[in-house]
Amino acid sequence: MVPKEIKNQSVPQSHPRYSSLKYRHKIIEGMKNLVVAEAGLIAHGRGECFDYIIGEKTNETAKIAIKAAVATLLTAKKPVISVNGNVAALVPDELVILSKLLNIPLEINLFYAKEGRIKVITEVLKNAGASDIKGINEDMMTELNGLESNRRKVDFIAKADVVMVPLEDGDRTEALKRLNKTVIAIDLNPISRTALWADITIVDNIIRVIPEMIETTKQFKKLHTNELIEIINNFDNKLNIQKTLDLIIDYITKQKEEAFKILE
Amino acid sequence: MVPKEIKNQSVPQSHPRYSSLKYRHKIIEGMKNLVVAEAGLIAHGRGECFDYIIGEKTNETAKIAIKAAVATLLTAKKPVISVNGNVAALVPDELVILSKLLNIPLEINLFYAKEGRIKVITEVLKNAGASDIKGINEDMMTELNGLESNRRKVDFIAKADVVMVPLEDGDRTEALKRLNKTVIAIDLNPISRTALWADITIVDNIIRVIPEMIETTKQFKKLHTNELIEIINNFDNKLNIQKTLDLIIDYITKQKEEAFKILE
């Protein structure tokens, strides 16, 4: 259930927490390379805990939200995917594949504007094959109303109708909603402000979400616009989040009965 | 519900997440000073999440476990409190007050044996007023059987009958139990291996636990040994953990009903 710390960098693949330890290592390396902010490590840990209590898998409710998200991105006029340090450290290759499949730009948008971070994150995305990266040229930037943090500085996001925000802070999600943008959030905390404010909330780990979105995009590209719109119209975010909370309650109830069996 | 990131270092005390942000800042500073390991930031984040779902307060079940813990420490023959980097960064002053009140040594015991860490943690504890610090002289150290990590190297812990392990890894708790030691754990995750293996599991945030233990110690010092033993005998750790899981289930059930009200 609970991860051991990384003992060394060659954790065997057979280790029950291999995947979790691998991504933890990526985040720590990301911090050393300036890609990830220090607070990004704490945020990652918070995510790990929420991941445990959803069972560390893409639940049915997440799959439903992913379908609505992909349908929305495929029918949007000016969609954009926001990228922060943790996302760039964890899933750069998958994110670039998704953005190319959807023909959507990636925009670097950071909470912590430490000197040089935009440059190293740009490098990470370029190395992963990205060609259309926004948020790197100060001359193209404008400021979002109602947002104090560094995240107020936006490029393509200012004009976008749909913004996908993986691993987001609540302030920006609120600001984007107040500007009438459609927000797609990826957030392991089902009751964060971002999760509650977003139009479509995918409660799942980004390392599983982006590959699942890639597969869904491949399928949905074959659908007619009417079919995509039906998928969007049938989606109820509030209900979906409440069902996710039911899954968490079920998981903890099960743990209550089973946890001590490991000692027997 | 969900913390905003630290915008600057002068977060106003009126901020709803002031306490959480203050301790997050201490952990980040601790990493910069070598007191906290990089993985300690991730562990801190994991703790933050578990703290939310117990309602960020010392619940009745934690108070019961704290009473059993203090009674156990007061009646032990050779008790010791293990200290790691996160504990030293978060509550050094309180920990020293508790160890002096109980007349129990502090032993530095680290998972990550980075050069110089023991020295800076010793400094932190000395600055907080500690006089009896173990685990700093290699000549006094022995190795615990059945433990591979750096934590196998112990000093007074080898001889102790009762070991209090705040923020622990499961491997060491198992090793201590196999050596028939009584283990008191402070762990926000009620179903971690440490939480399940320990004799007394305090599921609460260390920043609240140590002050509560100080107050309880002051009261319990007035009790007779028989009264302390009765408190210990009446304590059922498994039942107490299961009641804690019930509290978490109640909390999430309540959130399911109330979360969306903030948007109305």
Side-chain angles (χ1 to χ4, degrees), chain A residues 65 68 78 92 98 105 107 131 204 206 212:
Chain A
K78 289 184 173 182
L98 180 67
E107 176 159 338
S131 48
D204 194 18
I206 186 129
E212 180 83 18

Side-chain angles (χ1 to χ4, degrees), chain A residues 36-69:
Chain A
V36 172
E38 287 133 2
L41 264 74
I42 297 177
H44 185 77
R46 221 158 48 228
E48 280 188 355
C49 159
F50 279 112
D51 204 9
Y52 302 154
I53 62 175
I54 62 163
E56 288 181 305
K57 63 180 188 294
T58 302
N59 287 297
E60 203 46 52
T61 52
K63 285 180 187 166
I64 290 169
I66 285 170
K67 287 192 174 82

Side-chain angles (χ1 to χ4, degrees), chain B residues 7-20:
Chain B
K7 282 183 182 166
N8 52 54
Q9 307 193 358
S10 56
V11 179
Q13 286 203 26
S14 61
H15 191 290
R17 303 213 55 77
Y18 173 75
S19 170
S20 169

Side-chain angles (χ1 to χ4, degrees), chain A residues 141-183:
Chain A
M141 309 284 261
T142 168
E143 297 199 354
L144 281 186
N145 277 333
L147 195 58
E148 280 177 50
S149 80
N150 182 64
R151 284 201 147 149
R152 72 187 182 280
K153 297 180 195 164
V154 292
D155 177 354
F156 192 81
I157 287 172
K159 296 168 276 194
D161 57 344
V162 176
V163 187
M164 181 160 102
V165 291
L167 318 184
E168 187 62 18
D169 67 289
D171 280 349
R172 186 162 67 131
T173 305
E174 277 192 48
L176 292 172
K177 279 313 301 169
R178 291 214 173 88
L179 294 167
N180 285 319
K181 296 182 190 297
T182 297
V183 175

Side-chain angles (χ1 to χ4, degrees), chain A residues 1-2 49 52-53, chain B residues 45-56 188-191 248:
Chain A
M1 171 65 194
V2 158
C49 159
Y52 302 154
I53 62 175
Chain B
R46 220 156 51 226
E48 280 187 356
C49 160
F50 280 112
D51 203 11
Y52 302 152
I53 62 175
I54 63 163
E56 288 180 307
L188 274 159
N189 178 354
I191 46 175
I248 292 173

